[in-house]
Short mmCIF file of all heavy atoms in Angstrom, two decimals:
data_model
loop_
_atom_site.label_atom_id
_atom_site.label_comp_id
_atom_site.label_asym_id
_atom_site.label_seq_id
_atom_site.Cartn_x
_atom_site.Cartn_y
_atom_site.Cartn_z
N ALA O 559 -72.52 -20.47 67.98
CA ALA O 559 -73.85 -20.57 67.34
C ALA O 559 -73.77 -21.02 65.90
O ALA O 559 -74.58 -21.78 65.41
CB ALA O 559 -74.56 -19.22 67.44
N CYS O 560 -72.69 -20.59 65.21
CA CYS O 560 -72.46 -21.03 63.84
C CYS O 560 -72.29 -22.54 63.78
O CYS O 560 -72.84 -23.21 62.90
CB CYS O 560 -71.26 -20.32 63.25
SG CYS O 560 -71.58 -18.65 62.69
N LEU O 561 -71.50 -23.07 64.71
CA LEU O 561 -71.27 -24.53 64.70
C LEU O 561 -72.59 -25.26 64.90
O LEU O 561 -72.83 -26.31 64.29
CB LEU O 561 -70.25 -24.93 65.77
CG LEU O 561 -68.79 -24.85 65.35
CD1 LEU O 561 -67.86 -25.26 66.49
CD2 LEU O 561 -68.49 -25.70 64.11
N GLU O 562 -73.45 -24.72 65.75
CA GLU O 562 -74.80 -25.30 65.93
C GLU O 562 -75.56 -25.32 64.62
O GLU O 562 -76.27 -26.29 64.32
CB GLU O 562 -75.61 -24.45 66.96
CG GLU O 562 -75.11 -24.54 68.38
CD GLU O 562 -75.33 -25.89 68.98
OE1 GLU O 562 -76.42 -26.44 68.82
OE2 GLU O 562 -74.35 -26.45 69.58
N LYS O 563 -75.38 -24.27 63.84
CA LYS O 563 -76.07 -24.17 62.56
C LYS O 563 -75.25 -24.80 61.43
O LYS O 563 -75.51 -24.54 60.23
CB LYS O 563 -76.37 -22.70 62.22
CG LYS O 563 -77.25 -21.99 63.23
CD LYS O 563 -78.70 -22.44 63.14
CE LYS O 563 -79.57 -21.62 64.10
NZ LYS O 563 -80.89 -22.26 64.33
N LYS O 564 -74.23 -25.54 61.80
CA LYS O 564 -73.41 -26.30 60.83
C LYS O 564 -72.62 -25.45 59.85
O LYS O 564 -72.57 -25.75 58.67
CB LYS O 564 -74.30 -27.29 60.05
CG LYS O 564 -75.25 -28.12 60.90
CD LYS O 564 -74.61 -29.36 61.43
CE LYS O 564 -75.63 -30.26 62.14
NZ LYS O 564 -74.95 -31.16 63.11
N VAL O 565 -72.03 -24.37 60.37
CA VAL O 565 -71.07 -23.66 59.56
C VAL O 565 -69.91 -23.24 60.47
O VAL O 565 -70.13 -22.82 61.62
CB VAL O 565 -71.68 -22.46 58.84
CG1 VAL O 565 -72.33 -21.46 59.80
CG2 VAL O 565 -70.65 -21.74 57.94
N ALA O 566 -68.68 -23.42 59.97
CA ALA O 566 -67.50 -23.17 60.83
C ALA O 566 -66.73 -21.94 60.32
O ALA O 566 -66.50 -21.79 59.13
CB ALA O 566 -66.57 -24.38 60.83
N ILE O 567 -66.39 -21.05 61.29
CA ILE O 567 -65.56 -19.90 60.99
C ILE O 567 -64.50 -19.82 62.05
O ILE O 567 -64.64 -20.41 63.14
CB ILE O 567 -66.39 -18.57 60.96
CG1 ILE O 567 -67.05 -18.36 62.31
CG2 ILE O 567 -67.45 -18.62 59.85
CD1 ILE O 567 -67.78 -17.01 62.46
N VAL O 568 -63.38 -19.11 61.81
CA VAL O 568 -62.31 -19.01 62.81
C VAL O 568 -62.38 -17.69 63.53
O VAL O 568 -62.30 -16.62 62.87
CB VAL O 568 -60.92 -19.14 62.17
CG1 VAL O 568 -59.86 -19.35 63.27
CG2 VAL O 568 -60.84 -20.24 61.17
N PRO O 569 -62.46 -17.69 64.85
CA PRO O 569 -62.45 -16.43 65.61
C PRO O 569 -61.10 -15.71 65.47
O PRO O 569 -60.06 -16.34 65.42
CB PRO O 569 -62.70 -16.86 67.05
CG PRO O 569 -62.41 -18.33 67.11
CD PRO O 569 -62.60 -18.88 65.73
N GLY O 570 -61.13 -14.41 65.45
CA GLY O 570 -59.96 -13.58 65.21
C GLY O 570 -58.85 -13.75 66.20
O GLY O 570 -57.66 -13.56 65.87
N SER O 571 -59.20 -14.09 67.47
CA SER O 571 -58.18 -14.16 68.51
C SER O 571 -57.04 -15.11 68.16
O SER O 571 -55.88 -14.93 68.58
CB SER O 571 -58.82 -14.62 69.84
OG SER O 571 -59.54 -15.80 69.64
N ASN O 572 -57.33 -16.14 67.34
CA ASN O 572 -56.29 -17.10 66.95
C ASN O 572 -55.11 -16.46 66.24
O ASN O 572 -54.00 -16.97 66.32
CB ASN O 572 -56.89 -18.14 66.01
CG ASN O 572 -57.72 -19.15 66.74
OD1 ASN O 572 -57.21 -20.06 67.36
ND2 ASN O 572 -59.05 -18.95 66.69
N PHE O 573 -55.37 -15.35 65.55
CA PHE O 573 -54.35 -14.76 64.70
C PHE O 573 -53.68 -13.58 65.42
O PHE O 573 -52.84 -12.90 64.83
CB PHE O 573 -54.96 -14.29 63.38
CG PHE O 573 -55.74 -15.37 62.70
CD1 PHE O 573 -57.13 -15.40 62.82
CD2 PHE O 573 -55.11 -16.34 61.98
CE1 PHE O 573 -57.86 -16.40 62.19
CE2 PHE O 573 -55.84 -17.34 61.36
CZ PHE O 573 -57.21 -17.38 61.49
N ALA O 574 -54.09 -13.31 66.65
CA ALA O 574 -53.61 -12.13 67.34
C ALA O 574 -52.31 -12.36 68.05
O ALA O 574 -51.95 -13.51 68.37
CB ALA O 574 -54.67 -11.67 68.37
N VAL O 575 -51.55 -11.32 68.32
CA VAL O 575 -50.36 -11.40 69.14
C VAL O 575 -50.76 -11.80 70.54
O VAL O 575 -50.13 -12.65 71.17
CB VAL O 575 -49.58 -10.06 69.09
CG1 VAL O 575 -48.51 -10.03 70.16
CG2 VAL O 575 -48.98 -9.86 67.71
N ASP O 576 -51.82 -11.17 71.05
CA ASP O 576 -52.34 -11.55 72.37
C ASP O 576 -53.58 -12.43 72.14
O ASP O 576 -54.69 -11.94 71.94
CB ASP O 576 -52.73 -10.28 73.15
CG ASP O 576 -53.38 -10.65 74.51
OD1 ASP O 576 -53.42 -11.85 74.83
OD2 ASP O 576 -53.83 -9.73 75.18
N ILE O 577 -53.36 -13.76 72.18
CA ILE O 577 -54.46 -14.69 71.86
C ILE O 577 -55.49 -14.77 72.99
O ILE O 577 -56.54 -15.35 72.82
CB ILE O 577 -53.96 -16.11 71.54
CG1 ILE O 577 -53.11 -16.67 72.69
CG2 ILE O 577 -53.14 -16.16 70.24
CD1 ILE O 577 -52.79 -18.15 72.54
N THR O 578 -55.17 -14.15 74.12
CA THR O 578 -56.15 -14.22 75.25
C THR O 578 -57.17 -13.08 75.21
O THR O 578 -58.20 -13.15 75.86
CB THR O 578 -55.41 -14.18 76.62
OG1 THR O 578 -54.73 -12.92 76.72
CG2 THR O 578 -54.40 -15.31 76.71
N ALA O 579 -56.87 -12.04 74.45
CA ALA O 579 -57.80 -10.89 74.39
C ALA O 579 -59.01 -11.27 73.53
O ALA O 579 -58.87 -11.96 72.53
CB ALA O 579 -57.07 -9.68 73.80
N PRO O 580 -60.20 -10.84 73.95
CA PRO O 580 -61.38 -11.12 73.12
C PRO O 580 -61.29 -10.38 71.78
O PRO O 580 -60.65 -9.34 71.70
CB PRO O 580 -62.54 -10.57 73.95
CG PRO O 580 -61.94 -9.61 74.90
CD PRO O 580 -60.53 -10.03 75.14
N SER O 581 -61.86 -10.99 70.76
CA SER O 581 -61.80 -10.40 69.40
C SER O 581 -63.21 -10.33 68.84
O SER O 581 -64.00 -11.26 69.03
CB SER O 581 -60.91 -11.26 68.52
OG SER O 581 -61.06 -10.89 67.16
N ASN O 582 -63.50 -9.27 68.13
CA ASN O 582 -64.83 -9.16 67.46
C ASN O 582 -64.68 -9.43 65.95
O ASN O 582 -65.47 -8.97 65.15
CB ASN O 582 -65.46 -7.82 67.73
CG ASN O 582 -64.64 -6.65 67.18
OD1 ASN O 582 -63.55 -6.85 66.65
ND2 ASN O 582 -65.14 -5.42 67.33
N LYS O 583 -63.66 -10.20 65.60
CA LYS O 583 -63.36 -10.47 64.19
C LYS O 583 -63.38 -11.95 63.88
O LYS O 583 -63.23 -12.78 64.78
CB LYS O 583 -61.97 -9.88 63.85
CG LYS O 583 -61.90 -8.38 64.02
CD LYS O 583 -60.45 -7.89 64.13
CE LYS O 583 -60.34 -6.51 64.75
NZ LYS O 583 -60.93 -5.43 63.97
N PHE O 584 -63.56 -12.28 62.63
CA PHE O 584 -63.43 -13.67 62.20
C PHE O 584 -62.90 -13.75 60.78
O PHE O 584 -63.02 -12.79 60.00
CB PHE O 584 -64.74 -14.44 62.36
CG PHE O 584 -65.93 -13.89 61.61
CD1 PHE O 584 -66.24 -14.35 60.33
CD2 PHE O 584 -66.76 -12.92 62.18
CE1 PHE O 584 -67.34 -13.86 59.64
CE2 PHE O 584 -67.87 -12.44 61.48
CZ PHE O 584 -68.16 -12.89 60.22
#
Side-chain angles (χ1 to χ4, degrees):
Chain O
C560 281
L561 274 180
E562 291 293 314
K563 299 287 184 196
K564 313 273 187 203
V565 58
I567 59 175
V568 192
S571 53
N572 285 281
F573 309 99
V575 168
D576 176 5
I577 55 170
T578 63
S581 167
N582 62 357
K583 297 161 200 295
F584 58 92

